[in-house]
Amino acid sequence: MKKNITTRESDFANWFNDVCYEAKLFTYGNVKGTINYLPNSWKIWEKITKILDSEFKKYGIENVYCPLFIKMSDFTKEEEHINGFAPEAYIIDSFGEERMSDPLIVRPTSEVLFCQLFNQIVKNYKDLPIKYNQWCSVVRAEKNTKPFLRGTEIIWHEAHHLFSTKEEALKDVEEMRKIYDDFLKNYCCLAFISGKKTEGEKFAGAISTYTREIWSQDCQFIQTGTNHYLGTNFCKIYNISFQNKENVYEFPHYNSHGITQRIIGDIIVVHGDDDGLVIPYKLASTQIIIGTMFSNKNQNVLQEAKKIQDEFIKNDISCIIDDGNESFGFKINNSEVLGTPFFIAIGPKDIEKKQCILIRRDNNIKHTIQLDNLVDEINKQAIEYDKLMYEKSYNNLKNSIVYCENMDECIKAINENKIIIAPFGASAEEEEIFKQKTNAKPRCIVSEENFDLVNHLINEMIPKNKKCVITGKDAFAYVYFGRQY
């Protein structure tokens, strides 16, 4: 019995909705752009938060929590910041029948809130560095919403770090980038482009923004994980200063970082197939489903399944038993929809032979495994499983990139659902020309860490004697362009 899932080729948007519905990931909230996270999705998010929180603590980050509301008078102090977020901000201007003289902003991001906190606790150089993080939600009035990918309420972590010097702050950006990159590659099995955002695409109020961009099967980018160097501007505006060792007052350097629940959406649209979810082994809340087949004369099958489950649990492998009366085919299909990495089929004849059948979710290949070697085989298969998932994502990304040298080539490439790499030398205002002509945007400047993706297309990091595809002026960088969610 197959589930009712639209094929990706026929209608990707409906495929996404069908997969989320059949896998019981969410239901819609009553407010546009909000969802109820059901256990099957929230367990994935719990694993994500557990892994990242552990890495943050290793790096010396401490968890805190800041309020939900920002006074309008405080929010509007940083002009670029307010201009960037004002169109998305929810404003509370009354309670009961009473109008408020200073309305409240429901936080769309928390830089202002952390500045107020830093103002209270930073006095001298001994108070720095500060590396705080909060797990929370923010709200933004999004026009086009899609579960897990773009919503009104965003579940995320946001880290806010303060340093004495620019050098320390920039080093922190690089350290957080490494944490994000390792997590996306080694836990989510996601390939990505990464680098510095162009002036027109950076975070409102930032000196520089660094991003990771995931490439979906429907040929759109998803921004996932950003790092912002905010310089001293926020600290100047919100009067945050410290006394250095020479008793001179200085403004600290401020960074913010964030990863959202969008990672769940990334996993769905990058790894999923026409049978349902495909979840990376390390993030799967259930890594193995044991499907039993037995009759009244063969109850020892269930007993053997429980022995196998106990052995897995002892070895920190999550496992459940499907002992329902449905057929093996039904149980396998259910496991496929949920994206469970491994399905183990075991029946009376398998017990006699002291073996079981292992089916991998990523390729549906069946393996006959001896029961006394099961844990070792699972650990071996799990490494290959995640490795091949990453390679598939990487190859899809790399094979989608094309080089363009003029606007006509860019328009053609975007219409063919490609990623463009092209010479770039435009201002923030001039970037609008590209957006208007292609319905696509600059994603980030090409960086050394993923030069392997494009070194067959260009042979140097900095373009020489190349003209910008947007303006025709001298180019100073190569930039990725593409459509986005």
Side-chain angles (χ1 to χ4, degrees), residues 371-394:
L371 294 180
D372 60 2
N373 192 41
L374 198 48
V375 171
D376 288 342
E377 185 63 27
I378 287 292
N379 289 332
K380 175 184 173 183
Q381 293 275 353
I383 293 171
E384 184 183 356
Y385 176 91
D386 278 357
K387 178 174 178 287
L388 292 180
M389 282 185 71
Y390 175 78
E391 288 178 356
K392 184 178 178 181
S393 173
Y394 178 89

Side-chain angles (χ1 to χ4, degrees), residues 367-463:
H367 304 264
T368 301
I369 310 296
Q370 296 302 307
L371 294 180
D372 60 2
N373 192 41
L374 198 48
V375 171
D376 288 342
E377 185 63 27
I378 287 292
N379 289 332
K380 175 184 173 183
Q381 293 275 353
I383 293 171
E384 184 183 356
Y385 176 91
D386 278 357
K387 178 174 178 287
L388 292 180
M389 282 185 71
Y390 175 78
E391 288 178 356
K392 184 178 178 181
S393 173
Y394 178 89
N395 289 333
N396 183 45
L397 174 63
K398 183 170 184 175
N399 293 336
S400 299
I401 302 172
V402 298
Y403 177 74
C404 296
E405 280 203 334
N406 57 60
M407 186 60 75
D408 288 341
E409 290 178 359
C410 289
I411 293 172
K412 181 175 182 292
I414 291 296
N415 288 337
E416 292 174 350
N417 295 320
K418 297 294 185 181
I419 303 166
I420 294 168
I421 180 173
F424 177 83
S427 66
E429 293 74 23
E430 289 167 334
E431 289 181 32
E432 289 297 322
I433 299 171
F434 193 90
K435 298 174 190 177
Q436 292 168 7
K437 290 187 176 182
T438 64
N439 196 29
K441 295 181 180 181
R443 304 315 308 153
C444 66
I445 296 170
V446 175
S447 59
E448 291 184 7
E449 57 258 37
N450 51 34
F451 190 59
D452 58 298
L453 284 167
V454 293
N455 58 11
H456 62 295
L457 299 173
I458 57 174
N459 53 24
E460 72 271 331
M461 285 293 301
I462 306 298

Side-chain angles (χ1 to χ4, degrees), residues 304 308 311 344 346 350-351 353-356 369-375:
E304 188 63 38
I308 295 170
E311 190 65 22
I344 289 177
I346 188 165
D350 298 307
I351 298 297
K353 298 178 181 179
K354 297 183 179 180
Q355 66 181 31
C356 65
I369 310 296
Q370 296 302 307
L371 294 180
D372 60 2
N373 192 41
L374 198 48
V375 171

Side-chain angles (χ1 to χ4, degrees), residues 205-349:
I207 305 298
S208 56
T209 290
Y210 294 85
T211 183
R212 278 137 220 87
E213 304 280 333
I214 308 297
W215 187 241
S216 167
Q217 292 181 71
D218 68 335
C219 305
Q220 297 188 78
F221 276 119
I222 311 166
Q223 180 177 291
T224 300
T226 49
N227 312 95
H228 312 294
Y229 169 56
L230 304 175
T232 59
N233 190 45
F234 277 84
C235 293
K236 290 176 182 177
I237 292 170
Y238 292 96
N239 196 28
I240 305 163
S241 62
F242 69 97
Q243 197 172 18
N244 65 22
K245 293 180 180 180
E246 287 73 39
N247 295 323
V248 176
Y249 281 93
E250 296 182 36
F251 294 108
H253 293 257
Y254 184 12
N255 294 335
S256 64
H257 315 273
I259 276 184
T260 79
Q261 87 296 325
R262 187 176 285 175
I263 286 182
I264 298 174
D266 294 338
I267 289 168
I268 297 169
V269 299
V270 172
H271 297 312
D273 62 24
D274 290 345
D275 291 322
L277 301 175
V278 182
I279 305 297
Y281 182 79
K282 293 173 185 173
L283 291 186
S285 56
T286 300
Q287 293 165 316
I288 300 171
I289 291 178
I290 301 175
T292 60
M293 182 174 69
F294 58 91
S295 65
N296 293 333
K297 296 180 180 179
N298 292 290
Q299 289 293 322
N300 60 330
V301 172
L302 181 56
Q303 294 174 0
E304 188 63 38
K306 289 180 177 177
K307 288 181 183 178
I308 295 170
Q309 182 186 41
D310 289 343
E311 190 65 22
F312 283 146
I313 292 172
K314 286 179 186 178
N315 287 274
D316 201 27
I317 299 170
S318 59
C319 170
I320 63 173
I321 297 173
D322 184 348
D323 61 351
N325 293 323
E326 297 87 359
S327 67
F328 265 149
F330 182 94
K331 294 178 180 181
I332 292 169
N333 290 340
N334 183 60
S335 177
E336 287 175 343
V337 170
L338 298 175
T340 309
F342 300 117
F343 182 86
I344 289 177
I346 188 165
K349 292 182 179 179

